Amino acid sequence: MLESRLAVLVLAAGQGTRMRSSKPKVMHELAGIPLLGHALHTANALSAGNVVTVVRHEKDLIGEYVNAYFPTTKIAEQDEIPGTGRAVECGLSALPADFEGVVVVTSGDVPLLDVPTIEALLETHLAQGLSATLLTTFLEDPTGYGRILRSNDGEFIEIVEQRDASEGQLEIDEVNAGVYVFDAAALRAALAKLGTHNAQGEKYLTDAAAEILRAGGGVQAIAIEDSWLVAGINDRVQLSEVAAELNWRICESWQRAGVTILDPASTFIDVTVQLAEDVTLLPGTHLKGISSIAAGATVGPEVWLVDTAVGQRASVIKSHVTGSRIGDDATVGPFAYLRPGTDLGADGKIGTFVETKNAVIGAGSKVPHLSYVGDAEIGADSNIGAGTIFANYDGVNKHRSVIGRGVRSGSHNVFVAPIRIGDGAYTAAGTVVRKDVDPGALAMNVAPQRNLGGWVQQNRAGTAAAEAADAAEQASTETTEQN
Ligand code: UD1
Ligand code: CA
């Protein structure tokens, strides 16, 4: 059908009181994006001339999100009259005044609804020349949903909301999914006639279907088998149930695309993540935001990865990684903390108990043990000794350290920034490096060591240390005597 004759309205004006949250319900996240983001992705994939989202509660916050991520989506504001029917009326007013054609209505709190489901609904609607076509499903526990009333021969009669339903009607397990296709003119006419005579004092969109039927329009309610696709989220219990189901589906689709996932129950992947073939994800792995993992890499167990790109055949074990890049064949962890701006070159290593931030670490370079590397640039093939700290902060400002290539720094160094270490330089163990080091030089500033003989026996007599020292002295005297 022509794009200009198709409009999609996504309802997102409700507060979502059942979430008990200062954040509007549709902004709660599921697999890394707000509920509304899921609904708008689907709405925008329908090739409709107009996509409108209806807002009211926290409209500025929601509007900002919509403008940033769905700039072509129009925003309509609902007025003080409550209810989904009023929301649709307000949404319609954002369409061109002469709009004729088909209006798809979906909810910001039904995140798993997909494009094929709506397309099938549209197809039936158009093929049969209906005025309203709505989606239903059968639920073991239909509590909270509107129930579908049908005649003895199965024809749709009306939708009764939970709060308005009789005991007998509450037994009905076919529910309204909150997904509709309407003829625009029939919808406008029906909404104009609706009141708010119900338990919630709201203008219900659900009443429009029966109203269209009364006006002589054709209405059909079509059930889908996969109820998850139309699961609505009203509280945090439903949020976690849908999150778990969506995660299964995301994991399954990556498995089918060639990713080994040992334990999908403990592996969580945002919808924004990209994975290549032959990636292996070990248990306890969380992949978040704009992250990607290239072919052959292994991530996990127990990795938290946010907005990070992992290179081919790289390995990340038991680590927390944000806003970083990990090169091909590089290794990270166990127990590493990579903060934003970390860029580890190919074949590089960030090892155990190492924290990095704004640190470009060259190809083949290693920071293997117990170090902090902040605001630094390390050339290729350098090795940073165990326990090295990049002192980047003077209490007021942050400064950079630049380490050349092929550098060997000793254990337990402090690089006091700003500092430059030339290519191929060495620094001795325990050195506090305050002055730049020329290429090929050895830097050392450690005071010469003095050994005070017999100090322990004199000052710590009777301790285990003094006894051990005595015994060693005794043994060495005996050896000398034997010789
Ligand atoms: C609604 C349906 C119910 C259906 C269920 C499916 C009505 C009256 N009931 O109930 O039959 O089974 O969805 O999930 O439509 N909204 C507005 N403005 C409002 C009120 C709500 O835009 O004044 C938006 C909400 O932000 C939400 C959507 O409409 O995204 C649905 O509202 P909600 O209050 O969750 O309706 P349900 O009680 O779930
Ligand atoms: Ca709902």
Side-chain angles (χ1 to χ4, degrees), residues 445-463:
N445 60 9
V446 190
Q449 177 175 322
R450 284 197 301 151
N451 293 345
L452 307 182
W455 186 94
V456 174
Q457 289 101 322
Q458 284 159 29
N459 294 281
R460 298 289 184 269
T463 63

Side-chain angles (χ1 to χ4, degrees), residues 60-288:
D60 295 338
L61 180 79
I62 298 174
E64 235 174 77
Y65 171 73
V66 174
N67 287 332
Y69 290 91
F70 302 93
T72 59
T73 296
K74 295 192 171 73
I75 296 175
E77 207 174 310
Q78 189 173 350
D79 57 17
E80 65 290 341
I81 300 171
T84 47
R86 185 59 180 179
V88 167
E89 245 173 347
C90 296
L92 288 172
S93 67
L95 297 180
D98 58 350
F99 178 81
E100 283 176 67
V102 171
V103 181
V104 171
V105 179
T106 67
S107 284
D109 67 347
V110 179
L112 303 193
L113 181 67
D114 61 3
V115 173
T117 303
I118 301 178
E119 279 173 349
L121 202 66
L122 267 168
E123 215 176 283
T124 307
H125 181 86
L126 295 171
Q128 303 192 18
L130 297 166
S131 297
T133 312
L134 52 107
L135 205 58
T136 76
T137 197
F138 290 87
L139 292 180
E140 236 165 73
D141 178 11
T143 311
Y145 287 86
R147 307 298 203 279
I148 303 294
L149 269 56
R150 292 186 187 267
S151 66
N152 288 337
D153 52 3
E155 293 297 315
F156 172 83
I157 300 175
E158 64 170 333
I159 302 164
V160 182
E161 289 304 292
Q162 166 94 18
R163 295 223 237 165
D164 304 300
S166 67
E167 285 210 358
Q169 289 168 339
L170 288 177
E171 299 285 300
I172 297 171
D173 60 353
E174 187 181 9
V175 302
N176 171 31
V179 178
Y180 319 78
V181 180
F182 291 106
D183 169 67
L187 176 60
R188 279 202 191 90
L191 288 170
K193 286 193 200 151
L194 295 186
T196 56
H197 313 295
N198 50 57
Q200 302 191 80
E202 293 185 356
K203 194 161 186 170
Y204 286 167
L205 177 60
T206 45
D207 291 341
E211 190 56 49
I212 289 173
L213 211 54
R214 264 194 292 281
V219 179
Q220 272 207 26
I222 295 167
I224 62 161
E225 229 164 78
D226 185 355
S227 299
W228 284 109
L229 294 183
V230 293
I233 291 175
N234 295 320
D235 60 31
R236 298 187 200 231
V237 175
Q238 289 169 325
L239 180 63
S240 73
E241 288 167 351
V242 173
E245 179 60 27
L246 176 56
N247 193 59
W248 280 113
R249 293 179 183 215
I250 292 171
C251 285
E252 188 186 324
S253 88
W254 284 121
Q255 287 171 320
R256 297 204 184 285
V259 175
T260 295
I261 302 179
L262 234 64
D263 180 23
S266 72
T267 304
F268 298 90
I269 307 174
D270 282 356
V271 290
T272 41
V273 167
Q274 287 302 321
L275 304 175
E277 279 180 14
D278 291 320
V279 161
T280 300
L281 303 178
L282 299 175
T285 291
H286 299 248
L287 305 179
K288 306 176 75 62

